[in-house]
Amino acid sequence: MTGKDVPGLMEAKDSIPAGTKINVTFLGNEDLEMRVAAAKAVRDLGFLPVPHISARRLASRGQLEEFLSRLKDAGATESVFVVGGDPTTPEGPYEDSYDVIRTGLLLDYGVKEVSIAGYPEGHPDISNDVLWRALEEKSLSLSQQGLQATILTQFAFDTDPVIAWIDQVRARGINSTIRIGTPGPAGIKRLLGFARRFGIGANAMIVKKYGFSLTNLMGTAGPDTFVTDLSALLAADAKAGPATEGSAHGPVKLHFYTFGGLLATADWAREYTRAQS
């Protein structure tokens, strides 16, 4: 959710299980008060806030400390998501999320778990070599500080690159929980707009596999097929046993991008879970 989504959270609260992690973004057009108020609202409603810390949007170390201090006062520093952020030029001393992590400040303000970004289909502006090196460096730094790490990925339409990427993460000795990003139900045009922005594969074959067609952009698409197929692939490898190549995927969970709104995503997740039981 964004800082402006508190009314949407209030609308969706009865459809979201207690204790659910809800990420709170760090957008350039929202201020400190709005971000902290949103994180506090998440906490007050019985969920676990995961505030984003956008490295390139921080103008100074003092601004980072002020944000962490306010979040701590709101009881919202147990889990955070540290990202590089969108600005091409950093607004302060932090070039990327690794710069924030290695300050050591997160521990000082009660942080226990840090989510870091993963890109199964790469990043349009960052080479794969740089992405892998950054993931390894951040994972190592968090481990050395005694902080739990979770890898939260960009969303995808195709399970094949996701599974291949998970295999590569594990091959590098990184055993953290991976939360695979997937959009909740949303308008097809909106989904494709985000896909283009983030460099996500969306050709005719891929989106058909996901569950919609490029010839009809007026409807809504949900992640039913993607989640079902991903679950089946992970379950099949688990049954194959640890001695089978590619079977050791470790802990893998989901993270929903609520492009269509918190309530629509929460209702989808509840109905999907009910249908599987």
Side-chain angles (χ1 to χ4, degrees), residues 66-224:
E66 180 184 16
F67 185 41
L68 289 170
S69 177
R70 291 289 302 279
L71 289 174
K72 184 177 181 181
D73 290 343
T77 54
E78 181 178 330
S79 183
V80 299
F81 180 29
V82 186
V83 292
D86 292 333
T88 303
T89 302
E91 298 175 15
Y94 306 115
E95 176 72 28
D96 52 33
S97 55
Y98 182 49
D99 285 346
V100 171
I101 289 169
R102 64 181 178 175
T103 63
L105 286 172
L106 300 178
L107 274 171
D108 294 342
Y109 290 89
V111 175
K112 297 178 181 178
E113 177 189 26
V114 178
S115 292
I116 53 179
Y119 300 92
E121 296 189 48
H123 190 288
D125 300 319
I126 306 173
S127 71
N128 283 335
D129 286 346
V130 171
L131 288 175
W132 283 119
R133 183 168 64 251
L135 186 63
E136 290 171 340
E137 289 174 343
K138 287 182 283 190
S139 296
L140 178 60
S141 181
L142 291 171
S143 176
Q144 290 173 338
Q145 294 179 57
L147 289 164
Q148 181 181 343
T150 295
I151 303 170
L152 195 158
T153 82
Q154 188 52 268
F155 74 90
F157 292 134
D158 189 357
T159 55
D160 291 342
V162 170
I163 290 291
W165 179 84
I166 294 172
D167 286 340
Q168 292 183 67
V169 172
R170 300 313 186 201
R172 284 170 164 79
I174 300 172
N175 299 314
S176 304
T177 295
I178 297 173
R179 285 191 175 270
I180 299 299
T182 187
I188 294 171
K189 284 186 177 180
R190 186 171 177 82
L191 289 176
L192 291 174
F194 278 106
R196 284 191 293 269
R197 176 182 173 186
F198 298 126
I200 293 162
N203 63 39
M205 184 180 300
I206 289 173
V207 299
K208 182 179 180 181
K209 181 179 178 181
Y210 186 81
F212 65 90
S213 169
L214 293 179
T215 61
N216 180 10
L217 305 181
M218 302 306 295
T220 296
D224 304 63

Side-chain angles (χ1 to χ4, degrees), residues 6-27:
V6 174
L9 178 63
M10 295 295 295
E11 179 187 32
K13 62 182 177 63
D14 292 333
S15 294
I16 304 174
T20 296
K21 292 180 177 178
I22 299 179
N23 284 34
V24 180
T25 58
F26 193 113
L27 299 179

